Amino acid sequence: MTILDERGGPARITLTEVAHHAGVSRSTVSLVLRGSPLVAADTRERVQAAIEALGYVYNRGAATLRAARTDTVGLLVCEINNSFYGELTAGVDDVLGEQGVVAFLANTAESGERQDRYLQRMREQNVDGVILCPAAGTSPALLDRLRQWQLPVVQALRFLSAREGDYAGVDYEFGMEMVTEHLLRNGHRRIAFVGGNLSHSAFAGRRVGFAAALRRHGLTPDLVVRCPATRRGGLDAVGPLMDLADPPTAMLCYNDLVAFGVMLGLEARGLRAGRDIAVTGFDDLTEAAISRPALTTVATSARQIGQEAARLLLRRIADPQGAPERVILPARLVIRESCGAMRVQPDKHQ
């Protein structure tokens, strides 16, 4: 195929025309041209066939000038002492390492001020993009500022806008609905939601799922204890709950760390999770399977989220003007001993 320009000579084929011919995005064509392993073999073959059919010539010199990349990105997390974020970081490194890209890790400690400072420093270091787990209370206006900086960003685990920007996370709402329904099926009607004292999208999704499941059964989701999402927070929440005139028969925790603290608090009172009261977590940390009792929880695949976030960022760096992408991974219920219902084998995923 030969395409002529307005003067009758051969026209220069664009990347967009190749993408249209191959039925893929412009960023996918760019990744193929750069030899990226992120592209599936059949897609790569389709793009290469389109390149040959159209006679596209890759101007490598111009591409190098356009890129002006440092092969570095920023990774901002909000709780570096939580092993969940260690798994997320490992997933990011899995993908970036294959591309020779290095991530600068920073811990915002849920501080918007620290977050702004780190983002400014990363901008000064000319990173190619940023993976950001937004600190609680971050304004959606931050996305506008990063766009003005022309700094590609992928939101991970939490999002500032449900519609704007790239995002990689898990279906928190459905995950919490699943575990709440599990407790309801096992006869619990007095269920407490324990943990989470900061407002962000991950907390909101959990609360919505919890409330939706209870309301389907004609119950009011009013037994909620806000506390730090830590072992200490869970430990301290046990006393006030168990001292109620009508204490809960199940404690559904914001994350695994809170659940571990709750189980310690129950033990201090001579009670045991899974025997005297049901306890569930959220995240499925490695410790959940080996705790005593083993913790019923919701697996959120932190490492896979990190991998998806890194892939999203590489695609965004390759195609800054492409349409926003959102990758939502499914949550999985993992039934173990702490909920008192061993109808399946420990560690069996439903």
Side-chain angles (χ1 to χ4, degrees):
M1 176 187 295
T2 301
I3 299 178
L4 302 180
D5 64 17
E6 57 192 13
R7 293 171 295 182
R12 182 176 293 278
I13 303 300
T14 68
L15 213 61
T16 300
E17 289 168 325
V18 174
H20 180 73
H21 190 278
V24 299
S25 69
R26 189 178 184 277
S27 61
T28 298
V29 176
S30 179
L31 288 171
V32 169
L33 290 170
R34 288 162 45 211
S36 172
L38 295 173
V39 183
D42 58 338
T43 302
R44 183 184 304 279
E45 291 173 3
R46 195 160 72 249
V47 170
Q48 289 171 338
I51 288 171
E52 184 175 347
L54 295 176
Y56 175 79
V57 178
Y58 184 34
N59 188 336
R60 193 171 299 276
T64 300
L65 288 174
R66 282 196 304 272
R69 293 175 187 158
T70 62
D71 287 331
T72 59
V73 301
L75 172 59
L76 282 77
V77 302
C78 45
E79 295 178 68
I80 203 168
N81 57 332
N82 185 336
S83 61
F84 181 86
Y85 289 93
E87 282 294 305
L88 176 84
T89 300
V92 170
D93 188 62
D94 287 341
V95 173
L96 296 184
E98 292 178 353
Q99 299 296 302
V101 177
V102 175
F104 295 142
L105 176 64
N107 177 38
T108 66
E110 298 289 11
S111 165
E113 183 180 347
R114 284 169 61 98
Q115 178 175 271
D116 286 345
R117 187 164 65 249
Y118 283 133
L119 285 170
Q120 181 62 47
R121 293 292 179 271
M122 288 175 178
R123 181 192 186 196
E124 293 168 0
Q125 293 297 322
N126 198 31
V127 296
D128 298 330
V130 170
I131 296 172
L132 172 67
C133 178
T138 300
S139 169
L142 176 62
L143 294 178
D144 293 329
R145 193 189 340 154
L146 294 175
R147 273 194 292 269
Q148 290 171 4
W149 288 358
Q150 297 184 344
L151 182 62
V153 61
V154 170
Q155 304 160 89
L157 302 176
R158 306 171 181 177
F159 55 78
L160 301 176
S161 169
R163 290 176 295 277
E164 295 182 37
D166 298 317
Y167 170 70
V170 71
D171 193 338
Y172 297 108
E173 183 176 336
F174 180 64
M176 196 56 84
E177 280 196 62
M178 276 197 300
V179 71
T180 307
E181 284 285 355
H182 175 69
L183 294 172
L184 289 163
R185 285 196 303 271
N186 283 282
H188 296 283
R189 291 297 180 269
R190 185 77 168 146
I191 304 173
F193 182 101
V194 185
N197 62 343
L198 300 172
S199 295
H200 47 71
S201 64
F203 175 79
R206 286 165 162 91
R207 281 290 303 275
V208 168
F210 170 69
L214 287 183
R215 289 187 174 122
R216 274 198 301 271
H217 292 262
L219 301 173
T220 304
D222 57 353
L223 191 52
V224 175
V225 177
R226 298 291 295 267
C227 67
T230 61
R231 279 181 172 83
R232 184 80 225 184
L235 177 66
D236 291 342
V238 170
L241 281 169
M242 298 309 296
D243 289 339
L244 292 172
D246 184 15
T249 62
M251 296 189 191
L252 185 154
C253 300
Y254 171 83
N255 64 12
D256 288 353
L257 294 180
V258 172
F260 296 146
V262 163
M263 290 196 293
L264 288 173
L266 292 172
E267 185 179 341
R269 286 179 163 242
L271 303 173
R272 181 176 172 84
R275 183 191 67 195
D276 304 300
I277 185 169
V279 176
T280 65
F282 207 98
D283 283 340
D284 197 25
L285 302 179
T286 301
E287 188 181 344
I290 60 175
S291 65
R292 290 295 174 265
L295 181 64
T296 292
T297 187
V298 176
T300 53
S301 308
R303 190 164 191 143
Q304 190 177 352
I305 293 172
Q307 292 168 347
E308 294 295 343
R311 292 187 185 106
L312 273 178
L313 184 60
L314 290 175
R315 291 199 292 272
R316 177 57 58 218
I317 291 169
D319 185 12
Q321 303 306 317
E325 296 185 58
R326 303 181 76 80
V327 177
I328 312 295
L329 299 178
R332 294 178 293 113
L333 177 62
V334 185
I335 302 174
R336 300 191 179 104
E337 299 166 345
S338 69
C339 66
M342 293 303 296
R343 297 180 180 178
V344 296
Q345 294 298 312
D347 298 328
K348 191 77 172 179
H349 299 305
Q350 285 196 342

